[in-house]
Amino acid sequence: MHIRVSPSRALLVFLSLSLVWFPSVSAGQVQIAPEAIADPVSEVIAQGRQLETQRRWSDALSHYEEALREHPGHQLLTDRLDLAQIHYSLSRRYDDASFKESLRTIDGSRALDLYNEVLLKINTHYVHSPEWRRMVMRGTRALDVAIGEEAFVAMNLPGRPQAAIERFRSELYDFVSQRAVRTRHDAAQVVASVASLAEQRLGLPTSATVLEYTVGAAGGLDTYSAYLTGGQLRDVFAQIEGNFVGLGIELKADSGSLLIVNVIPGSPAERAGILADDRIVAVGGTSTSEMSSDQAANLLQGEVGSYAHVTVQTEGQLPRELQVRREQIEVPSIEDARIIDRDFGVAYVRLPSFQKTTNRDLDAALWQLHREGMKSLIVDLRGNPGGLLTAAVEVADKFIAQGGIVSTRGRSPQEDYNYTAHQSGTWRVPLVVLIDGDSASASEIFAGAMRDHRRGTIVGDRSYGKGSVQGIFPLGVAGAGIRLTTAKFYSPSGRPISDVGVAPNVVVRRVAKIGDGNDQPLDEADDAVLDAGVQAARQQLASR
């Protein structure tokens, strides 16, 4: 993990593929232009609009993000993605107890202080020069969307006539567009004015208005920057530390249920007989089809020692009722480490993410594999979304004797840094690295360094292309925080990773990726990527 300490603050540098996305115009103003009918993405947009109509915002986000990878820079797709992100973020926050508590306890003055603090963090640390007017307009769009949402209205505008709400929404954009926003102070003044107007017209609490502008400003910067509620900030640190309280499962929303993507070995879920590819169809007796994925996930959380009542269904079988005890879960930094080809001494380790304990745990695994006869090593980074910058650097340093590992470049000189390898403690075992389209960020630092130094053979598919560094900044109000992109990173040869990724030496694609719930055990014959990796390891040994 990377903790970079400056004279004024401690900045946690975090690299991860995450669900946060981007700005443009009002939800009510977005129209599909006639020329879009002939556009090659018109069908993609139509599918996305159907997901929006069904209010499946998480699915819409994934849909538009995937479409933009195929059609980068497409303006209408970008706009729909931004709208989906605003809705998704809103639904998450109004299911978040820590956010609702902040709405109840923060007065208008403190909310404006929070907005100013966020703007100051952006001005000081963000990788690009801030576009203040763009941030204000994105916040205006977020407020416009919020006022049209039932959860927001129920908490902040109970009993207000719908006609009055619609009049304010119509007035909002004219009010903001008439004001100049050239500086951070201009932005703060405009938001204060909007909050005053909303209170006059609707009786909307200042804190509710300002928090929408705060979230909107951060979330509109880029795909990875975001405002973090108190609960979300705690979750980020738990992910970094590699431990949390829960059942020991990884979930994703899918067709009205929660699909179990992975079950952590030794967890309460595993002991209860829950398997990957099972579905949670009810929590606490309430069908998951009647709640958002965040609502369901919140119900699964609780105090250590308490029990979650879940209804689990395995495909082709009847649902079963389970009581699963919540415990402190230690997330393994290494999911598998073993000799997979004893004739050639080919060892295998899978790194699901880069966290605090990865360097230490990998040390232990490598020495154990060495005692078992390791002559070549396959490092599996498929599905690894990233993690901590220094964890990736430390792991890369185990296999590179000297030279650069990665460099970071930001708007602020303090974000410019060159990470280099050290001679001592280098493993010289022949290396194969497995990657795919979900290998991102810190994974790409490791794979890029191995490729540039010709230290190993990269096998699989081109990686995701998430070449940016995020800093996690706690804020002074509500226990909240902000995640900001502070720098871009580059491989040892100076190649950018953003939107490019790491290209494999040996290209092998497979439909089912690690972590998508369709994986087969490692010794199954259908894992073509692993088979190619083993073959590459054998060739390395034969050529020595």
Side-chain angles (χ1 to χ4, degrees), residues 344 430 457 535-544:
F344 285 82
T457 303
Q535 186 61 35
R538 291 170 177 170
Q539 291 172 355
Q540 288 176 338
L541 291 168
S543 64
R544 298 188 79 185

Side-chain angles (χ1 to χ4, degrees), residues 162-180:
Q162 187 62 35
I165 292 175
E166 292 305 320
R167 282 196 301 273
F168 175 76
R169 294 179 74 183
S170 299
E171 182 181 6
L172 177 60
Y173 284 94
D174 287 340
F175 183 85
V176 174
S177 64
Q178 293 170 10
R179 282 154 175 78

Side-chain angles (χ1 to χ4, degrees), residues 32 108 128 154 165 208 306 329 351 384 427 476 482 516 532 539:
I32 296 183
H128 301 303
I165 292 175
S306 62
I329 305 297
L351 305 183
N384 182 322
W427 287 83
I482 184 172
D516 66 2
Q539 291 172 355

Side-chain angles (χ1 to χ4, degrees), residues 18 35 177 207 214 244 326 337 339 350 384 451-452 461 486 528 541:
S18 53
E35 58 269 23
S177 64
S207 58
T214 303
F244 60 93
R326 299 180 179 96
I339 303 293
R350 169 162 162 72
N384 182 322
R451 181 181 172 89
D452 281 9
D461 204 355
T486 59
L541 291 168

Side-chain angles (χ1 to χ4, degrees), residues 393-469:
V393 170
E394 288 168 347
V395 172
D397 198 5
K398 293 183 185 301
F399 302 101
I400 299 173
Q402 59 187 358
I405 293 175
V406 68
S407 60
T408 61
R409 298 290 180 265
R411 182 166 58 97
S412 169
Q414 67 183 353
E415 302 299 341
D416 296 348
Y417 199 82
N418 298 318
Y419 295 86
T420 58
H422 303 86
Q423 184 78 35
S424 61
T426 303
W427 287 83
R428 303 187 185 278
V429 60
L431 195 65
V432 174
V433 181
L434 308 184
I435 60 172
D436 65 6
D438 292 325
S439 303
S441 193
S443 299
E444 295 172 294
I445 286 178
F446 180 84
M450 298 306 113
R451 181 181 172 89
D452 281 9
H453 283 281
R454 299 184 179 181
R455 178 59 185 84
T457 303
I458 314 300
V459 176
D461 204 355
R462 184 179 292 273
S463 64
Y464 184 87
K466 193 261 176 187
S468 58
V469 180

Side-chain angles (χ1 to χ4, degrees), residues 96 98-99 227-235 478-481:
D96 185 325
S98 66
F99 181 77
Y227 175 84
L228 302 171
T229 69
Q232 290 168 347
L233 183 62
R234 289 191 293 273
D235 288 345

Side-chain angles (χ1 to χ4, degrees), residues 62-300:
S62 299
H63 176 78
Y64 289 129
E65 188 198 32
E66 184 62 32
L68 277 167
R69 293 187 70 184
E70 296 293 324
H71 307 279
H74 193 285
Q75 185 55 51
L76 190 52
L77 284 174
T78 300
D79 190 78
R80 301 318 296 179
L81 174 63
D82 180 57
L83 181 61
Q85 164 56 20
I86 290 174
H87 278 282
Y88 176 70
S89 174
L90 182 76
S91 65
R92 290 193 69 197
R93 282 183 281 114
Y94 277 82
D95 283 338
D96 185 325
S98 66
F99 181 77
K100 290 191 284 189
E101 179 65 19
S102 67
L103 277 173
R104 286 190 288 265
T105 58
I106 296 175
D107 60 21
S109 176
R110 292 182 69 212
L112 288 167
D113 288 343
L114 176 65
Y115 183 68
N116 274 287
E117 185 181 4
V118 166
L119 295 187
L120 181 59
K121 297 288 189 190
I122 293 170
N123 191 46
T124 303
H125 303 295
Y126 188 58
V127 66
H128 301 303
S129 296
E131 299 179 44
W132 302 114
R133 182 165 191 80
R134 184 172 182 265
M135 272 189 275
V136 169
M137 292 308 297
R138 211 277 181 161
T140 302
R141 189 184 198 191
L143 178 62
D144 178 39
V145 168
I147 291 173
E149 284 294 309
E150 182 179 339
F152 182 94
V153 172
M155 184 162 187
N156 301 301
L157 296 170
R160 301 301 190 278
Q162 187 62 35
I165 292 175
E166 292 305 320
R167 282 196 301 273
F168 175 76
R169 294 179 74 183
S170 299
E171 182 181 6
L172 177 60
Y173 284 94
D174 287 340
F175 183 85
V176 174
S177 64
Q178 293 170 10
R179 282 154 175 78
V181 185
R182 300 185 183 90
T183 67
R184 173 169 59 91
H185 299 292
D186 290 343
Q189 288 174 1
V190 170
V191 170
S193 297
V194 171
S196 178
L197 181 70
E199 187 168 17
Q200 293 171 22
R201 298 286 193 268
L202 297 175
L204 182 63
T206 295
S207 58
T209 299
V210 175
L211 281 170
E212 289 308 310
Y213 272 93
T214 303
V215 174
L221 292 170
D222 60 43
T223 307
Y224 308 107
S225 297
Y227 175 84
L228 302 171
T229 69
Q232 290 168 347
L233 183 62
R234 289 191 293 273
D235 288 345
V236 167
F237 285 119
Q239 180 183 352
I240 292 166
E241 296 290 339
N243 62 79
F244 60 93
V245 174
L247 310 184
I249 52 180
E250 297 176 26
L251 302 168
K252 72 174 182 180
D254 185 78
S255 303
S257 64
L258 297 178
L259 176 65
I260 297 173
V261 175
N262 185 39
V263 180
I264 295 174
S267 66
E270 184 185 59
R271 296 198 301 271
I274 296 175
L275 305 171
D277 286 342
D278 283 353
R279 293 178 181 273
I280 295 179
V281 297
V283 180
T286 302
S287 171
T288 53
S289 64
E290 301 174 14
M291 62 181 81
S292 72
S293 58
D294 284 301
Q295 286 174 320
N298 288 339
L299 290 175
L300 294 175

Side-chain angles (χ1 to χ4, degrees), residues 3-12 124-125 412 414-415 473:
I3 300 179
R4 188 184 296 167
V5 180
S6 72
S8 60
R9 60 167 171 71
L11 167 61
L12 178 67
T124 303
H125 303 295
S412 169
Q414 67 183 353
E415 302 299 341
F473 301 87

